[in-house]
Amino acid sequence: MKYYRIRDLREDKDLTQREMGVVLSCSQRVYSNYERGDLDIPTEILIKLANFHDVSVDYILNRTDNKKTNL
């Protein structure tokens, strides 16, 4: 599964993969692997991504087009 939405969300904020790696406490290479779908994103990282971008995990996983969380 490719995670196009995390790339789009990152680019919307004009952040590099390296900067996202810092936010998520991982290397640029690992983050790049997440975007390309070469690595499944662990639950903890999905939650961090959703919180950082203020979107739902379901949005990141392409299960909905609604960005809003249910909090």
Side-chain angles (χ1 to χ4, degrees), residues 14-26:
D14 294 323
L15 296 171
T16 65
Q17 289 181 342
R18 177 169 289 168
E19 290 169 324
M20 282 306 303
V22 170
V23 168
L24 301 173
S25 301
C26 67

Side-chain angles (χ1 to χ4, degrees), residues 21-71:
V22 170
V23 168
L24 301 173
S25 301
C26 67
S27 69
Q28 177 273 328
R29 175 172 275 177
V30 168
Y31 182 79
S32 174
N33 287 335
Y34 292 152
E35 281 191 5
R36 288 193 322 265
D38 292 342
L39 284 177
D40 283 333
I41 303 174
T43 304
E44 179 181 331
I45 299 298
L46 274 173
I47 293 168
K48 283 184 180 181
L49 282 165
N51 288 340
F52 181 79
H53 292 296
D54 196 27
V55 297
S56 69
V57 170
D58 282 339
Y59 179 78
I60 291 172
L61 296 176
N62 208 28
R63 292 174 40 104
T64 183
D65 290 329
N66 183 4
K67 290 183 178 183
K68 297 188 187 275
T69 61
N70 292 329
L71 299 177

